[in-house]
Amino acid sequence: MSAPLFLVESLPPADQLTLDGPEGHHAATVQRLRVGEELLLADGRGGTATAVVTAVGRGTLDLTVTSRGYVDADVPRLVVVQGIAKGDRGELAVQAMTEVGVDEIVPWAASRSVVQWRGDRGVRAREKWAATAREAAKQARRAWLPVVAGAPDESTATVARRIAGAGAAFVLHEEAEERLTTVELPTTGEIILVVGPEGGIAPTELTAFTEAGARPVRLGPSVLRTSTAGVAALSVLSTRLPRW
């Protein structure tokens, strides 16, 4: 099994450091790493370091950095506009999409979203998505932490403007004739995928997105849940792009 990864605000300039705080607690108390074991550090922005445990404290680890690296960001960027879903479906989507390599997730206040993120509730919900993405990135040993955008959610008009500036944009829609497996893909910029909520994408929203330049596409004959459609589409794109 590969060495566990822990996220830090910034990589240490020196070769000796102490990992403390929540990450130190998780490493020392939860995962029970011991002297001589190896771990990975990442700043979430491409920077990485391999380190060896030299001492274990109460919720802390003393480390010696043995190597450093940098992982370039993938191009084009993969951005998923995710319709806000009820229950834990949104978090399930965020977790799976992070594991397969999404670069940014945009919570979308679709007209058919059962749950609406308003006021403090919206801020807390967005923070929960961000925390889910962080933990999934650690599990997947990702050097880049995906961005969870939104303030805390985005309107259809805001998403349409984002689509207009993208290298390509696709709306996952069950009635589309084109398949994501065959559409032409750009080599730079952003590829935006729009995933509707449980109730689907309203006709007015589909019109707004297509007028901004998005193309409706489908994955296959099955209708996928909002929690699985994004990860399925990202898997298709990662296979077609030089990622997988």
Side-chain angles (χ1 to χ4, degrees):
M1 184 174 179
S2 60
L5 182 143
F6 299 91
L7 288 167
V8 294
E9 288 298 321
S10 60
L11 294 174
D15 289 341
Q16 310 297 322
L17 74 145
T18 298
L19 183 66
D20 54 14
E23 294 292 79
H25 170 77
H26 191 256
T29 306
V30 179
Q31 294 206 1
R32 297 180 178 274
L33 296 182
R34 296 293 179 254
V35 172
E37 291 191 88
E38 191 174 76
L39 58 80
L40 302 173
L41 300 173
D43 60 10
R45 300 178 298 277
T48 63
T50 302
V52 174
V53 179
T54 57
V56 180
R58 186 171 182 177
T60 65
L61 295 179
D62 290 340
L63 305 173
T64 296
V65 175
T66 56
S67 64
R68 300 173 186 270
Y70 181 80
V71 178
D72 290 328
D74 286 312
V75 179
R77 296 181 76 242
L78 297 180
V79 179
V80 174
V81 174
Q82 175 68 51
I84 296 172
K86 64 181 179 180
D88 62 353
R89 291 179 182 175
E91 292 159 41
L92 290 172
V94 170
Q95 178 182 8
M97 292 190 297
T98 298
E99 290 176 2
V100 299
V102 70
D103 297 304
E104 184 174 348
I105 301 168
V106 180
W108 169 39
S111 64
R112 293 178 178 173
S113 290
V114 176
V115 177
Q116 298 295 320
W117 287 5
R118 295 192 177 96
D120 291 341
R121 177 183 181 179
V123 173
R124 291 193 300 270
R126 180 191 172 278
E127 289 175 349
K128 197 166 186 178
W129 278 27
T132 299
R134 180 183 177 88
E135 291 307 308
K138 290 167 58 177
Q139 176 66 34
R141 316 298 198 264
R142 288 190 56 175
W144 284 89
L145 183 63
V147 176
V148 178
D153 55 359
E154 299 290 4
S155 67
T156 296
T158 303
V159 172
R161 288 193 293 270
R162 180 76 178 264
I163 287 172
F170 305 103
V171 180
L172 300 183
H173 198 275
E174 61 191 65
E175 296 179 1
E177 295 183 359
E178 277 193 291
R179 294 181 181 268
L180 187 59
T181 53
T182 59
V183 293
E184 185 177 353
L185 301 177
T187 57
T188 59
E190 292 183 344
I191 297 176
I192 295 178
L193 288 166
V194 180
V195 180
E198 297 96 328
I201 298 173
T204 54
E205 293 167 336
L206 182 60
T207 298
F209 295 152
T210 55
E211 288 180 349
R215 296 164 64 179
V217 296
R218 64 182 301 144
L219 292 167
S222 301
V223 178
L224 302 182
R225 291 179 180 269
T226 186
S227 56
T228 55
V231 67
L234 287 168
S235 299
V236 170
L237 293 179
S238 295
T239 302
R240 297 190 58 200
L241 296 168
R243 288 196 175 206
W244 287 8

